[in-house]
Amino acid sequence: MKKTRLCELLGIQYPIVQAPMAGGPTTVDLVVAASDAGALGSFGAAYMSPQQIREACAATRARTDRPFSVNLFAPVPQPPAYDATRTLARLRIYHEELGIAAPFAPVPSDQATQFNAQVDAILECRVPIFSFTFAIPPASTLSRFKAIGAIVIGTATTVDEAVALQDSGVDAICAQGSEAGGHRGTFAVPFERAMIGTMALIPQVVDAVKVPVIASGGIMDGRGIAAALALGAEGVQLGTAFLATTQSGAPSAHKDALSAAKEDATSVTRAFSGRHARGIRNRVIDEFESDPESIAPYPLQNALTRAMRNAAAASGRAEYLSLWAGQALRLARRIDAGELVRQLVRETDQCISALDALR
Ligand SMILES: Cc1cc2nc3c(=O)[nH]c(=O)nc-3n(C[C@H](O)[C@H](O)[C@H](O)COP(=O)(O)O)c2cc1C
């Protein structure tokens, strides 16, 4: 597999990004394994404190000299005041079943203050690559990364979002198709308008921007990587594929659910965080969606459901977990992450050769 422009930009061997996955999957072990195998290991640091970011970066540096990236959720407009009585009533049932203390409404946290403190930690660690999703951070933040020579990657779900990101000065764009697991990165239109499949999104984004495009959403093997490259992408970002690997910190109940689920098992829901994200349907999604007004806006719903999710992870109860996964989940392999990168590279080469033979 030859290097693309993205490989040169990021200083990596293969144009494969292990997706940043906030909430525990992206352990130091996973990031080191992905980067050591020639891909780009990435921390989903949105829920990490500045100190946790510093520790993760130091631990990674101690084990590899390869590049890695850190990703954050850019702050979004603070939602209007919300009465969480109905949310708490539903959560009380789950907390009782899980045997944990009753839920309470958290003190609202200021997203911008939290984000700025995380940014300070990332800059302090001189992380070579910074990526973000949910919005475009302020120009003053992006220029701080530029000032230390870091590469910046933003997430788009439509062509207009990709153009806006390019105008903001990013070095590469992750184009996220509707198949993708986890949160939608949509920021310029209501989420339903931006449910564009990877196959349709990538060539339209590639035609509209000059910076390298990283395809994400439903890519799990060499066939998907070859297809993304054929559409003009210069890299791919895989979440669900790395979620299933040995080094991923996803709870085993999450990995088991991935192994058991079929392609029609996921849907996009606000039930866990208040923001649209794709995951395997379970009881909590069904019950919250039966009363949509009981779902608080992001980021409040995320804070409200945290204790339930943590308890469920500890006790292996998948019905209370946010089982984020993309639509191609049947192709997940529960293997070592470094071995996954090696298999992906081999399969992509084979696929490209097979296509060449069709000429
Ligand atoms: C468990 C999980 C957590 C995710 N968390 C983040 C995140 O913190 N930041 C981000 O930019 N993308 C996040 N994503 C989305 C991925 O970057 C990527 O768009 C998606 O995984 C691609 O689709 P796939 O899962 O089909 O490979 C997450 C995806 C998953 C599955």
mmCIF file of all heavy atoms in Angstrom, residues 180-200:
data_model
loop_
_atom_site.group_PDB
_atom_site.id
_atom_site.type_symbol
_atom_site.label_atom_id
_atom_site.label_comp_id
_atom_site.label_asym_id
_atom_site.label_seq_id
_atom_site.Cartn_x
_atom_site.Cartn_y
_atom_site.Cartn_z
ATOM 1 N N ALA A 180 -21.688 5.672 10.165
ATOM 2 C CA ALA A 180 -20.699 5.723 11.254
ATOM 3 C C ALA A 180 -21.282 5.414 12.627
ATOM 4 O O ALA A 180 -22.398 5.839 12.950
ATOM 5 C CB ALA A 180 -20.050 7.103 11.278
ATOM 6 N N GLY A 181 -20.494 4.729 13.447
ATOM 7 C CA GLY A 181 -20.844 4.513 14.846
ATOM 8 C C GLY A 181 -20.517 5.761 15.652
ATOM 9 O O GLY A 181 -19.694 6.583 15.254
ATOM 10 N N GLY A 182 -21.174 5.924 16.790
ATOM 11 C CA GLY A 182 -20.889 7.052 17.685
ATOM 12 C C GLY A 182 -21.616 8.308 17.256
ATOM 13 O O GLY A 182 -22.543 8.278 16.424
ATOM 14 N N HIS A 183 -21.180 9.441 17.828
ATOM 15 C CA HIS A 183 -21.894 10.708 17.620
ATOM 16 C C HIS A 183 -21.754 11.236 16.201
ATOM 17 O O HIS A 183 -20.691 11.143 15.598
ATOM 18 C CB HIS A 183 -21.373 11.756 18.610
ATOM 19 C CG HIS A 183 -21.908 11.563 19.986
ATOM 20 N ND1 HIS A 183 -21.207 10.934 20.984
ATOM 21 C CD2 HIS A 183 -23.109 11.896 20.517
ATOM 22 C CE1 HIS A 183 -21.947 10.892 22.078
ATOM 23 N NE2 HIS A 183 -23.101 11.466 21.823
ATOM 24 N N ARG A 184 -22.814 11.854 15.715
ATOM 25 C CA ARG A 184 -22.760 12.571 14.449
ATOM 26 C C ARG A 184 -21.978 13.870 14.672
ATOM 27 O O ARG A 184 -22.176 14.566 15.670
ATOM 28 C CB ARG A 184 -24.186 12.935 13.962
ATOM 29 C CG ARG A 184 -25.144 11.764 13.838
ATOM 30 C CD ARG A 184 -24.753 10.802 12.736
ATOM 31 N NE ARG A 184 -24.624 11.454 11.443
ATOM 32 C CZ ARG A 184 -23.679 11.109 10.549
ATOM 33 N NH1 ARG A 184 -22.803 10.159 10.801
ATOM 34 N NH2 ARG A 184 -23.618 11.729 9.399
ATOM 35 N N GLY A 185 -21.124 14.192 13.707
ATOM 36 C CA GLY A 185 -20.334 15.424 13.838
ATOM 37 C C GLY A 185 -21.056 16.643 13.296
ATOM 38 O O GLY A 185 -20.514 17.752 13.324
ATOM 39 N N THR A 186 -22.272 16.471 12.811
ATOM 40 C CA THR A 186 -23.018 17.542 12.127
ATOM 41 C C THR A 186 -23.069 18.840 12.929
ATOM 42 O O THR A 186 -23.391 18.823 14.118
ATOM 43 C CB THR A 186 -24.468 17.065 11.863
ATOM 44 O OG1 THR A 186 -24.391 15.816 11.180
ATOM 45 C CG2 THR A 186 -25.248 18.069 11.032
ATOM 46 N N PHE A 187 -22.762 19.979 12.257
ATOM 47 C CA PHE A 187 -22.809 21.254 12.982
ATOM 48 C C PHE A 187 -23.511 22.370 12.216
ATOM 49 O O PHE A 187 -23.814 23.404 12.794
ATOM 50 C CB PHE A 187 -21.403 21.706 13.405
ATOM 51 C CG PHE A 187 -20.427 21.913 12.264
ATOM 52 C CD1 PHE A 187 -20.328 23.143 11.632
ATOM 53 C CD2 PHE A 187 -19.601 20.885 11.847
ATOM 54 C CE1 PHE A 187 -19.418 23.346 10.597
ATOM 55 C CE2 PHE A 187 -18.683 21.078 10.812
ATOM 56 C CZ PHE A 187 -18.601 22.307 10.180
ATOM 57 N N ALA A 188 -23.772 22.174 10.892
ATOM 58 C CA ALA A 188 -24.310 23.323 10.144
ATOM 59 C C ALA A 188 -25.776 23.184 9.793
ATOM 60 O O ALA A 188 -26.404 24.165 9.382
ATOM 61 C CB ALA A 188 -23.483 23.536 8.878
ATOM 62 N N VAL A 189 -26.327 21.991 9.903
ATOM 63 C CA VAL A 189 -27.742 21.759 9.563
ATOM 64 C C VAL A 189 -28.319 20.798 10.599
ATOM 65 O O VAL A 189 -27.556 20.145 11.316
ATOM 66 C CB VAL A 189 -27.896 21.122 8.145
ATOM 67 C CG1 VAL A 189 -27.612 22.119 7.053
ATOM 68 C CG2 VAL A 189 -27.034 19.872 7.985
ATOM 69 N N PRO A 190 -29.667 20.671 10.668
ATOM 70 C CA PRO A 190 -30.224 19.652 11.576
ATOM 71 C C PRO A 190 -29.686 18.278 11.171
ATOM 72 O O PRO A 190 -29.459 18.019 9.985
ATOM 73 C CB PRO A 190 -31.734 19.751 11.333
ATOM 74 C CG PRO A 190 -31.953 21.099 10.736
ATOM 75 C CD PRO A 190 -30.709 21.430 9.967
ATOM 76 N N PHE A 191 -29.519 17.388 12.152
ATOM 77 C CA PHE A 191 -28.822 16.135 11.903
ATOM 78 C C PHE A 191 -29.453 15.300 10.775
ATOM 79 O O PHE A 191 -28.761 14.693 9.975
ATOM 80 C CB PHE A 191 -28.696 15.329 13.211
ATOM 81 C CG PHE A 191 -29.614 14.150 13.278
ATOM 82 C CD1 PHE A 191 -29.159 12.886 12.927
ATOM 83 C CD2 PHE A 191 -30.942 14.307 13.639
ATOM 84 C CE1 PHE A 191 -30.018 11.799 12.958
ATOM 85 C CE2 PHE A 191 -31.798 13.244 13.667
ATOM 86 C CZ PHE A 191 -31.337 11.976 13.324
ATOM 87 N N GLU A 192 -30.816 15.328 10.664
ATOM 88 C CA GLU A 192 -31.480 14.465 9.656
ATOM 89 C C GLU A 192 -31.058 14.851 8.242
ATOM 90 O O GLU A 192 -31.014 14.012 7.357
ATOM 91 C CB GLU A 192 -33.021 14.592 9.684
ATOM 92 C CG GLU A 192 -33.693 14.485 11.024
ATOM 93 C CD GLU A 192 -33.695 15.803 11.788
ATOM 94 O OE1 GLU A 192 -33.253 16.830 11.242
ATOM 95 O OE2 GLU A 192 -34.126 15.786 12.956
ATOM 96 N N ARG A 193 -30.760 16.130 8.032
ATOM 97 C CA ARG A 193 -30.388 16.592 6.691
ATOM 98 C C ARG A 193 -28.989 16.122 6.329
ATOM 99 O O ARG A 193 -28.609 16.147 5.159
ATOM 100 C CB ARG A 193 -30.439 18.132 6.628
ATOM 101 C CG ARG A 193 -31.802 18.717 6.919
ATOM 102 C CD ARG A 193 -32.391 19.503 5.755
ATOM 103 N NE ARG A 193 -31.456 20.298 4.985
ATOM 104 C CZ ARG A 193 -31.210 21.588 5.183
ATOM 105 N NH1 ARG A 193 -31.821 22.230 6.149
ATOM 106 N NH2 ARG A 193 -30.371 22.227 4.405
ATOM 107 N N ALA A 194 -28.220 15.725 7.318
ATOM 108 C CA ALA A 194 -26.822 15.384 7.071
ATOM 109 C C ALA A 194 -26.572 13.877 7.212
ATOM 110 O O ALA A 194 -25.469 13.464 7.517
ATOM 111 C CB ALA A 194 -25.928 16.164 8.032
ATOM 112 N N MET A 195 -27.601 13.075 6.959
ATOM 113 C CA MET A 195 -27.416 11.623 7.017
ATOM 114 C C MET A 195 -27.043 11.120 5.618
ATOM 115 O O MET A 195 -27.800 10.401 4.962
ATOM 116 C CB MET A 195 -28.688 10.952 7.540
ATOM 117 C CG MET A 195 -28.944 11.245 9.010
ATOM 118 S SD MET A 195 -27.650 10.575 10.088
ATOM 119 C CE MET A 195 -28.143 8.856 10.117
ATOM 120 N N ILE A 196 -25.848 11.499 5.163
ATOM 121 C CA ILE A 196 -25.393 11.152 3.812
ATOM 122 C C ILE A 196 -24.478 9.934 3.932
ATOM 123 O O ILE A 196 -23.508 9.962 4.701
ATOM 124 C CB ILE A 196 -24.570 12.307 3.173
ATOM 125 C CG1 ILE A 196 -25.137 13.687 3.542
ATOM 126 C CG2 ILE A 196 -24.418 12.109 1.667
ATOM 127 C CD1 ILE A 196 -26.436 14.055 2.981
ATOM 128 N N GLY A 197 -24.748 8.906 3.158
ATOM 129 C CA GLY A 197 -23.919 7.699 3.223
ATOM 130 C C GLY A 197 -22.493 7.972 2.750
ATOM 131 O O GLY A 197 -22.260 8.877 1.938
ATOM 132 N N THR A 198 -21.559 7.183 3.241
ATOM 133 C CA THR A 198 -20.136 7.378 2.901
ATOM 134 C C THR A 198 -19.914 7.366 1.386
ATOM 135 O O THR A 198 -19.174 8.196 0.847
ATOM 136 C CB THR A 198 -19.295 6.278 3.585
ATOM 137 O OG1 THR A 198 -19.553 6.331 4.990
ATOM 138 C CG2 THR A 198 -17.816 6.465 3.351
ATOM 139 N N MET A 199 -20.562 6.438 0.702
ATOM 140 C CA MET A 199 -20.394 6.295 -0.757
ATOM 141 C C MET A 199 -20.786 7.574 -1.500
ATOM 142 O O MET A 199 -20.175 7.933 -2.500
ATOM 143 C CB MET A 199 -21.303 5.138 -1.225
ATOM 144 C CG MET A 199 -21.156 4.770 -2.659
ATOM 145 S SD MET A 199 -19.861 3.542 -2.775
ATOM 146 C CE MET A 199 -19.975 3.122 -4.485
ATOM 147 N N ALA A 200 -21.811 8.259 -1.022
ATOM 148 C CA ALA A 200 -22.271 9.496 -1.661
ATOM 149 C C ALA A 200 -21.472 10.705 -1.173
ATOM 150 O O ALA A 200 -21.179 11.626 -1.929
ATOM 151 C CB ALA A 200 -23.753 9.707 -1.371
#
